[in-house]
Amino acid sequence: MVNILAIETSCDDTSTSVVVDGKVVSLFISSQKEHNEWGGVVPELASRTHLKVIGFALKKVLQDSSIKLSDLNAIAVTTEPGLVGSLLVGVNSAKGLSVALNIPLISVNHIEAHLLSVLIDNKVEFPFVGLVASGGHTLLYDVKGIGEYVLLGATRDDAAGEAFDKGAKMLGLGYPGGPMIDELSKKGDPLKYNFPRPLTNKPGLDFSFSGIKTALRYFLRDNFDNQLLTDQNLYDVCASYQEAIVETLIKKTLKSCKILGNKRIVVVGGCSANSRLKNLMSINCKKKNIEFFTTKPIYSTDNAAMIGIVAYEKYKSKVFSDLTITAKSNMIRAKIISNKKAT
Ligand code: KG4
Ligand code: ZN
């Protein structure tokens, strides 16, 4: 049996998980509420809060799995990309445990973990087109196999989740905005107002979400004089705004499939919890005879279970790290993330 303790602290969720032979046995996630009043993540607050929570998170997940420290075979941790101060809390905890227990350390890329999170509760064959849509990233990959990821497109400015979060802030809905907009949109008309679908009529597979957010700002100023909206107006604005983000994501993902001749789509990352995105993607895929996979919401947003899944694959290939690993902020434009053993 291979018992892996995984740690994820790249942004504002402190998460730990025990993964046994590639199966998630226990998972702990503490989502920091400290950022709500600021309408976005405050990096300094995030790292301090990780530091407060990490000890409890490690103990809890071991207790829940009934796996003792001495039963562990490896410690896995997210090393990139993310907020450096936040990542360092997880990285240093992992190093300490690896030294104390004399077991291997496995560094995991957060984007690769999102991509493979779909394998936690699905059996998906390769290759597939993978859309990672979260608060920090909007990336399209041609996923040829484990460790073989070719970047097809990325956002040129804001991530899809940022468009949700900043839009929600303008509407006075608090942070994180995605779940709130998702909920309110259920009572609204997605066709009531027309927000832009940036770059959808242009060649290429990149995204741009900053224009949608600006369009919402001017729309609120011009139509509602920045005054409070009635409940129904709010629902309609949410639904129409959400529709623009969701349609943009779907169009580019389907376009990738067409270009590659691929018949399999995987949507992961925080925004993949969005009910309209899942519905509309599923309808479109059925029409085009494309298989569509996503994860449960708990595995969509940041979590250590997905870190453990990647780590298990690396463990099997004996891809271990040494104590020189450190935290890296960004590698959004990386062409290939590879977990193949260096030869
Ligand atoms: O993957 P994640 O937890 O963190 C990053 O790696 O960034 O994603 C968080 C993002 C936030 O922007 C949040 O608003 C968005 O995911 N999100 C959603 C939903 N649930 C979370 N966006 C739209 N609809 C949702 N239901
Ligand atoms: Zn993430």
Side-chain angles (χ1 to χ4, degrees), residues 27-40:
L27 172 62
F28 172 83
I29 304 173
S30 168
S31 297
Q32 304 177 356
K33 303 273 176 282
E34 283 76 358
H35 311 284
N36 296 16
E37 63 177 295
W38 303 100

Side-chain angles (χ1 to χ4, degrees), residues 153-173:
T155 183
R156 295 181 182 175
D157 38 57
D158 288 351
E162 261 178 295
F164 275 112
D165 295 337
K166 289 177 180 169
K169 193 177 176 186
M170 277 182 240
L171 293 165
L173 298 176

Side-chain angles (χ1 to χ4, degrees), residues 7 114 154:
I7 305 172
H114 271 305

Side-chain angles (χ1 to χ4, degrees), residues 30-302:
S30 168
S31 297
Q32 304 177 356
K33 303 273 176 282
E34 283 76 358
H35 311 284
N36 296 16
E37 63 177 295
W38 303 100
V41 179
V42 183
E44 181 69 20
L45 267 180
S47 41
R48 287 186 205 190
T49 311
H50 284 307
L51 210 47
K52 271 192 220 155
V53 179
I54 191 73
F56 174 81
L58 289 165
K59 269 192 179 167
K60 171 89 178 114
V61 86
L62 285 166
Q63 269 167 10
D64 289 352
S65 65
S66 306
I67 296 229
K68 295 192 289 294
L69 273 175
S70 54
D71 297 330
L72 292 173
N73 298 97
I75 308 290
V77 65
T78 311
T79 48
E80 63 191 313
L83 300 170
V84 170
S86 287
L87 287 164
L88 283 175
V89 176
V91 170
N92 279 332
S93 306
K95 283 187 187 182
L97 283 166
S98 155
V99 170
L101 300 170
N102 195 25
I103 54 175
L105 185 61
I106 300 176
S107 96
V108 175
N109 180 293
H110 184 83
I111 304 300
E112 179 173 22
H114 271 305
L115 278 172
L116 299 191
S117 65
V118 72
L119 302 179
I120 298 175
D121 45 14
N122 293 281
K123 211 169 158 22
V124 188
E125 282 176 37
F126 299 100
F128 61 77
V129 167
L131 170 69
V132 184
S134 70
H137 306 276
T138 308
L139 300 158
L140 263 173
Y141 283 95
D142 173 10
V143 180
K144 295 169 182 291
I146 288 173
E148 295 173 65
Y149 316 106
V150 179
L151 185 68
L152 302 169
T155 183
R156 295 181 182 175
D157 38 57
D158 288 351
E162 261 178 295
F164 275 112
D165 295 337
K166 289 177 180 169
K169 193 177 176 186
M170 277 182 240
L171 293 165
L173 298 176
Y175 176 85
M180 225 94 71
I181 290 186
D182 190 356
E183 211 39 50
L184 297 180
S185 296
K186 289 176 184 156
K187 295 183 245 174
D189 175 3
L191 303 177
K192 179 91 183 191
Y193 305 112
N194 189 26
F195 290 102
R197 275 82 168 144
L199 301 183
T200 45
N201 293 323
K202 296 256 164 60
L205 295 166
D206 280 350
F207 300 92
S208 166
F209 286 104
S210 65
I212 295 188
K213 177 192 71 189
T214 313
L216 177 63
R217 174 169 297 121
Y218 291 134
F219 171 84
L220 293 175
R221 185 196 64 187
D222 298 344
N223 293 278
F224 296 98
D225 203 17
N226 288 326
Q227 299 298 309
L228 270 184
L229 278 69
T230 65
D231 283 355
Q232 193 54 53
N233 278 334
L234 177 64
Y235 305 151
D236 292 339
V237 172
C238 282
S240 305
Y241 183 72
Q242 171 177 273
E243 198 73 358
I245 300 172
V246 162
E247 268 191 15
T248 305
L249 291 171
I250 292 175
K251 275 196 174 169
K252 292 282 176 174
T253 312
L254 290 174
K255 189 172 173 183
S256 308
C257 272
K258 197 169 173 196
I259 292 170
L260 296 173
N262 197 311
K263 286 279 181 192
R264 226 168 273 126
I265 286 177
V266 163
V267 183
V268 287
C271 297
S272 71
N274 185 272
S275 54
R276 182 68 180 155
L277 175 59
K278 285 193 275 201
N279 256 334
L280 216 54
M281 186 64 105
S282 165
I283 292 168
N284 274 282
C285 285
K286 267 197 193 109
K287 272 192 215 150
K288 294 182 188 300
N289 215 11
I290 292 174
E291 282 184 285
F292 166 52
F293 301 91
T294 186
T295 56
K296 286 194 196 109
I298 192 161
Y299 301 130
S300 299
T301 45
D302 289 349

